[in-house]
Amino acid sequence: MEWFRNIGLMGRPGNTAVADTLLDVQRYLEGQGRRVLFDEDTAALLPSRNDIQMCSRQSLGEACDLVIVVGGDGSLLHAARALARSNTPVLGINRGRLGFLTDVAPSELEDKLGAVLRGDFAEDKRFMLSAEVCRDGLVLGDMLALNDVILHTGKTVHMIEFELYVEGEFVYRLRSDGLIVCTPTGSTAYALSGGGPILHPRLDAMGLVPMHPHTLSSRPIVVDGESEIKIQVLSDIPPRVSADGQPGQMLKAGDWVYVRKHPFKLRLIHPPGHDFYAACRTKLGWSSHLSQGDNE
C-alpha cells in the first residue's frame, strides 16, 4: 500500500533559513514518486519557484494527504491553526530549538521520512482550544490555539486582576501577571516555565497556571478537557489575551474571555521510535541514567 501520495510542504513565513531543508525534502519526496505542493508563503522562501507547484495556505490541507512542516515548534503551531479544519495529518522536521512537536532531525530525513512513506508511523490526535472575547454581550473576536491561551499584562509591568470560573463555578479572584490555559501539548511550553504540570498528550485535560500570583497559595489546577473556562477582567490596566503567542486582543475591565475545546483536532504524525518520555529526557534535560536493577 502506498501512503501519502500528495504531500504539502510548509515553513514559517519569512524564515529563509529553512529553504535548504525544504528543497532537500522536495527532492527526496519527488524521488519517491510523490507529488509535492508548496503553499504560496512557503514558496516565497525559495530561491527559485519555476519548477514547483503552489496553492494557497488555506487550500493546502484539502489538496494533500500529508503536510510536512519544516521549522521549529512555532512553525508547527502556525501550521496547526491553518490546517485545523482539513483533518490532514502533519509531520514536523525540526529546524528550531526545542522541537517537542517537530521530532525529525534534518540528518534523519531519508530514514525517518522513508519509514513514514512506507506506513511505519504513529499518530497522535491533539485537541486545540478556541478563545472568544466578549464585551457588553457582543463577540469582539475569537482565536485558535494548539498550545495555550494566555491572559497577560502586555507591555506593562503592573499586575492585573481577574476572576476565574470553571463550568460556571467561581474558582477565585486573583491579582497576578496573568493566567495560562494550556492543552497537554502546551503543558511543555510556556506553562512549564510558569511552574505548571506536564500533562501526557493523551490526557483529556487542561492546565490553569497563574503567572506570578500575588499570593502564596495560588497553584496550577488541572481540569477536565470538556470544561468551559470563563475569565472576567477586573483591572483598569488593559491586559491582552493571546493564543499561541499571537498578538491577540486588547481587553478592558468588564470583558469576558471564554476558553473551550475546539471541535477539530490536529493529527500529528510521529516516525518509528517516538517516545514522549524520551523526548522529555532529551528536551528538558532529565537524567537518562538507569541504575542497575531498575529495569528488572
Side-chain angles (χ1 to χ4, degrees), residues 160-206:
I160 56 176
E161 190 169 5
F162 59 91
E163 288 182 349
L164 173 68
Y165 298 79
V166 177
E167 287 295 282
E169 295 187 15
F170 176 70
V171 179
Y172 52 56
R173 182 170 180 159
L174 189 65
R175 282 174 52 81
S176 71
D177 285 351
L179 180 74
I180 303 169
V181 183
C182 72
T183 63
T185 302
S187 70
T188 53
Y190 192 37
L192 184 63
S193 67
I198 293 176
L199 305 177
H200 192 280
R202 288 199 296 268
L203 283 176
D204 185 10
M206 291 186 279

Side-chain angles (χ1 to χ4, degrees), residues 66-234:
L66 171 71
V67 172
I68 297 176
V69 179
V70 178
D73 284 350
S75 300
L76 199 138
L77 293 177
H78 186 88
R81 294 190 298 272
L83 300 169
R85 296 179 180 274
S86 66
N87 198 38
T88 305
V90 176
L91 173 71
I93 295 178
N94 186 27
R95 283 297 308 269
R97 292 188 296 271
L98 206 56
F100 257 102
L101 300 173
T102 51
D103 49 14
V104 177
S107 61
E108 305 171 313
L109 183 64
E110 294 191 10
D111 181 39
K112 295 291 181 72
L113 189 49
V116 170
L117 296 181
R118 294 190 298 270
D120 186 6
F121 60 85
E123 181 178 322
D124 273 345
K125 290 190 176 180
R126 305 290 184 94
F127 78 79
M128 305 177 75
L129 299 176
S130 62
E132 188 177 77
V133 177
C134 296
R135 179 177 298 164
D136 300 326
L138 299 176
V139 177
L140 296 184
D142 54 22
M143 43 195 101
L144 181 64
L146 176 62
N147 266 356
D148 44 44
V149 174
I150 303 177
L151 176 73
H152 58 101
T153 58
K155 296 181 179 179
T156 69
V157 292
H158 298 280
M159 285 190 169
I160 56 176
E161 190 169 5
F162 59 91
E163 288 182 349
L164 173 68
Y165 298 79
V166 177
E167 287 295 282
E169 295 187 15
F170 176 70
V171 179
Y172 52 56
R173 182 170 180 159
L174 189 65
R175 282 174 52 81
S176 71
D177 285 351
L179 180 74
I180 303 169
V181 183
C182 72
T183 63
T185 302
S187 70
T188 53
Y190 192 37
L192 184 63
S193 67
I198 293 176
L199 305 177
H200 192 280
R202 288 199 296 268
L203 283 176
D204 185 10
M206 291 186 279
L208 307 177
V209 183
M211 300 164 61
H212 300 101
H214 198 228
T215 170
L216 297 177
S217 58
S218 294
R219 293 291 182 266
I221 303 172
V222 177
V223 300
D224 186 87
E226 298 294 334
S227 301
E228 179 188 67
I229 310 300
K230 294 196 303 184
I231 305 165
Q232 185 178 34
V233 177
L234 303 176

Side-chain angles (χ1 to χ4, degrees), residues 6-86:
N6 301 303
I7 300 177
L9 288 186
M10 184 182 290
R12 186 158 191 154
N15 185 1
T16 56
V18 303
D20 288 345
T21 304
L22 284 165
L23 292 173
D24 287 343
V25 176
Q26 178 197 10
R27 284 189 288 266
Y28 177 75
L29 292 175
E30 291 178 344
Q32 299 299 309
R34 268 49 174 198
R35 175 173 174 250
V36 177
L37 288 86
F38 290 82
D39 74 278
E40 293 166 340
D41 291 337
T42 300
L45 304 175
L46 305 179
S48 172
R49 289 178 276 171
N50 295 329
D51 60 343
I52 64 175
Q53 298 183 59
M54 291 182 288
C55 65
S56 69
R57 181 155 288 204
Q58 292 73 24
S59 303
L60 192 65
E62 302 295 337
C64 296
D65 311 311
L66 171 71
V67 172
I68 297 176
V69 179
V70 178
D73 284 350
S75 300
L76 199 138
L77 293 177
H78 186 88
R81 294 190 298 272
L83 300 169
R85 296 179 180 274
S86 66

